[in-house]
Amino acid sequence: FSDGPYTMYGTGLSAGYAFSDFFEIYALFRPHFINRQRLLAKAVEEKVIEGTNKKLVITGGKARSEMGAQIVWAPLYGKDSLGIRRIIRSDTFLRFGISQVTYDLGSGMKYAIGIGKTFFLSKMIGVRLVVEESLLGLIVEGNKSSGLATFFESGAVFYF
């Protein structure tokens, strides 16, 4: 995600339980983020303040990990066509989540709502795609603030 001087990519694992065909609950853990400085932040840091020898520097918290919980409500189940030869089962769901993001400069809360689709490759394996809008606690220039951030997520789902 990105709303500061860094773009952050997270890798993680969600373990969950399906109460029924419609409701699932997950524990979320992202132990690692890749942080890349944004081009805008790099461009600003290359500038020198006129009349001085000082450079502008934008500091922001770099995400280190995230832990939280998610609830999935899947009210729509159907079949999608992959051309004329194959039908694949799928469900469409809403996901609600709360988590804590730990930065190198502190921590912040994340409140999320998303919409997604799971494509079932078999009874035990699926591919999941999610678009999520979040209210995210950030740290920029040493100040905590909140902002909206959009997340795109994909992954494999295993049902036991």
Side-chain angles (χ1 to χ4, degrees), residues 82-159:
L82 296 177
I84 60 172
R85 300 200 184 272
R86 179 150 176 173
I87 301 284
I88 188 168
R89 295 181 311 118
S90 67
D91 67 12
T92 304
F93 60 87
L94 291 175
R95 184 172 76 185
F96 307 92
I98 183 171
S99 59
Q100 181 174 340
V101 179
T102 302
Y103 299 95
D104 58 349
L105 302 174
S107 64
M109 295 301 293
K110 177 179 151 188
Y111 305 94
I113 183 169
I115 187 166
K117 196 154 181 84
T118 303
F119 298 96
F120 299 96
L121 304 178
S122 71
K123 285 188 174 191
M124 296 182 66
I125 299 173
V127 175
R128 184 167 279 181
L129 304 171
V130 183
V131 176
E132 182 178 90
E133 189 68 21
S134 298
L135 179 62
L136 180 65
L138 300 166
I139 302 171
V140 178
E141 291 296 321
N143 298 315
K144 285 191 172 188
S145 64
S146 295
L148 293 176
T150 303
F151 295 84
F152 299 96
E153 182 179 311
S154 63
V157 182
F158 301 98
Y159 294 94

Side-chain angles (χ1 to χ4, degrees), residues 31-43:
H32 179 70
F33 280 85
I34 298 168
N35 297 280
R36 302 246 188 251
Q37 189 175 32
R38 296 179 70 200
L39 293 176
L40 179 62
K42 281 184 184 179

Side-chain angles (χ1 to χ4, degrees), residues 6-19:
Y6 303 102
T7 298
M8 301 171 216
Y9 304 94
T11 57
L13 177 70
S14 296
Y17 179 76
F19 291 102

